[in-house]
Amino acid sequence: MFKLVQLLDDAEVRALRDIAAAGQFVDGKISNPHSTIKNNLQLHDAQAYERSSKILLDAMVRNPDFMEFSFPARIAPPLLTRYKPGMHYGLHPDAAYIPLPDGQLRTDVSCTVFLGDPADYDGGALHVQLGNADLRFKEAPGVAIVYPSHTLHEVEPVTRGERLVAITFIQSLIPDVAHRNLMYELNEVAALEGGKMDPENYTRLQAVQYQLLRMWRR
């Protein structure tokens, strides 16, 4: 299960584009030197990284759709990545853990935030395999796609222009994807229908929600 979220407003998108335009980018293999399928660029500028990460993290934690879908316990500082013509990232799942200064983060949920206008580049779709479905995403600036980190996905080759996105990984309070999806659906139904329910039955529903969260939270 995946979710599209309108994460950033126009001003935030412009700010991130400006940071990218002025920042230093290096070969993306700096963070995965043994990869044979990674061919992109990533921001390598401490001050720019700090500024861009703050804009993105602030947007994430204030966005109810993002928070209620991913149940974040920790979020890796988002990283700006760039793809020029000929660049791509072959089919892969995301690593189970990534190192951070405060310790390893378990990657339960992955997130790509689109920053470029899809009309400004050809190719470069995020291709996601979900079961038997092949899904491709080239979303409007400011839209994020959130999906389980074990999902096989790739960035298809860019043939014109430049693909600019931010990526991050989330360690979820509910690591099991099936449990997380059920909890999300239950919470959605409770939010939409709770006001129409008999108060006693709504209280019982809340008790189920809270007990499942206690059982599934890690």
Side-chain angles (χ1 to χ4, degrees):
M1 184 174 178
F2 68 91
K3 188 168 184 65
L4 293 172
V5 176
Q6 183 61 53
L7 189 70
L8 304 171
D9 62 28
D10 291 344
E12 290 166 327
V13 170
R14 285 195 301 271
L16 290 165
R17 287 177 175 174
D18 288 344
I19 291 170
Q24 177 189 6
F25 282 71
V26 298
D27 189 334
K29 286 191 174 73
I30 192 173
S31 59
N32 192 357
H34 303 296
S35 175
T36 60
I37 59 173
K38 186 177 186 180
N39 180 15
N40 64 4
L41 302 170
Q42 67 184 50
L43 185 65
H44 192 65
D45 179 322
Q47 291 185 343
Y49 184 31
E50 183 178 351
R51 297 198 328 270
S52 59
S53 292
K54 185 178 189 311
I55 292 171
L56 288 153
L57 286 171
D58 286 349
M60 289 171 182
V61 299
R62 71 165 182 262
N63 187 288
D65 285 340
F66 177 87
M67 297 296 287
E68 291 163 11
F69 184 78
S70 58
F71 295 90
R74 298 171 66 202
I75 305 173
L79 176 66
L80 298 182
T81 66
R82 174 181 280 162
Y83 292 75
K84 293 181 178 291
M87 292 185 172
H88 67 283
Y89 200 148
L91 192 67
H92 66 284
D94 289 321
Y97 291 87
I98 59 170
L100 293 177
D102 59 346
Q104 285 191 324
L105 178 143
R106 187 186 63 237
T107 59
D108 299 315
V109 182
S110 298
C111 176
T112 295
V113 186
F114 296 89
L115 299 174
D117 189 323
D120 290 342
Y121 64 99
D122 293 333
L126 176 65
H127 169 211
V128 178
Q129 293 185 356
L130 286 176
N132 294 323
D134 283 306
L135 307 176
R136 287 173 171 81
F137 300 92
K138 280 182 67 171
E139 302 303 317
V143 173
I145 178 171
V146 190
Y147 56 95
S149 296
H150 69 266
T151 306
L152 291 179
H153 59 284
E154 66 179 332
V155 177
E156 296 178 333
V158 172
T159 58
R160 178 188 66 87
E162 177 182 286
R163 178 186 193 262
L164 179 66
V165 300
I167 61 167
T168 191
F169 307 97
I170 299 101
Q171 180 170 316
S172 179
L173 293 169
I174 304 177
D176 184 278
V177 64
H179 291 167
R180 190 167 61 248
N181 289 343
L182 286 171
M183 197 74 220
Y184 171 73
E185 292 292 335
L186 182 60
N187 289 350
E188 282 281 281
V189 171
L192 292 170
E193 302 296 331
K196 306 173 188 176
M197 295 175 66
D198 176 86
E200 182 178 345
N201 287 336
Y202 182 57
T203 299
R204 293 173 63 192
L205 177 60
Q206 285 183 311
V208 172
Q209 290 174 276
Y210 299 158
Q211 187 61 7
L212 287 175
L213 188 56
R214 291 187 186 99
M215 289 170 58
W216 292 342
R217 177 170 175 161
R218 294 292 182 270

